Amino acid sequence: MHRSDDGSGQALMELALILPVLIFVILATAQIGMVMHTRILMAMGARQGLRLVAARSVDPAAQVEAFLKENSAMGGIKYDITCNRKLTYDRVVISCDIPVLSVFKNFVGDSISLREELKADGYGVPLLGTIFDWLKRLR
């Protein structure tokens, strides 16, 4: 029997050992990228929603949802959007569940929940805000 010293068996064995780890790292990077993209998109949507609420726009939640669905890289994500205009503040809350790749379901579950909340002073005048907060505390 003739034995070759070209190392092809060793290279094949190294590939067999490292390939699953490499695929796992690539999929983990893709999953983290999907989560970060959605997180940034939700922050942009919350800022846009806060602008719409401050401008007293008609149905800002629907406009924010349209913005999120239009710019999302992943289809099928359901966003829960709440836009509130109060006397003292404006608030936008966006939450969603991102599906997890099947490889990671044993580690993190079926989905990753994200929530973005943005709150702004409703009157925008610091002195008036201070007086109003002071009056609220007196009650």
Side-chain angles (χ1 to χ4, degrees):
M1 194 158 123
H2 178 64
R3 184 178 168 145
S4 72
D5 289 332
D6 63 359
S8 62
Q10 180 183 354
L12 185 61
M13 190 63 171
E14 288 174 358
L15 179 66
L17 288 173
I18 200 70
L19 193 60
V21 174
L22 184 63
I23 290 173
F24 186 83
V25 168
I26 289 170
L27 291 176
T29 304
Q31 183 71 58
I32 291 169
M34 287 187 286
V35 170
M36 293 306 297
H37 170 75
T38 305
R39 181 84 177 160
I40 291 168
L41 188 63
M42 287 172 59
M44 290 171 56
R47 283 192 298 270
Q48 181 67 23
L50 201 56
R51 279 188 222 103
L52 293 169
V53 169
R56 294 178 175 81
S57 179
V58 177
D59 200 9
Q63 293 181 38
V64 170
E65 187 171 11
F67 168 80
L68 291 171
K69 286 185 177 183
E70 179 181 308
N71 293 300
S72 179
M74 296 176 10
I77 295 179
K78 167 110 175 62
Y79 296 99
D80 295 319
I81 302 164
T82 306
C83 297
N84 294 343
R85 177 150 184 90
K86 304 282 184 183
L87 180 61
T88 57
Y89 65 88
D90 300 334
R91 186 178 86 159
V92 175
V93 179
I94 303 173
S95 58
C96 74
D97 292 327
I98 298 175
V100 175
L101 297 174
S102 59
V103 175
F104 305 111
K105 287 189 179 184
N106 292 333
F107 302 111
V108 296
D110 291 337
S111 64
I112 298 172
S113 297
L114 295 178
R115 184 173 191 271
E116 183 71 30
E117 180 175 354
L118 209 55
K119 187 174 176 181
D121 182 8
Y123 25 75
V125 180
L127 178 61
L128 193 59
T130 305
I131 292 171
F132 191 79
D133 289 340
W134 180 70
L135 289 173
K136 261 179 43 178
R137 280 187 227 141
L138 288 177
R139 285 199 234 170

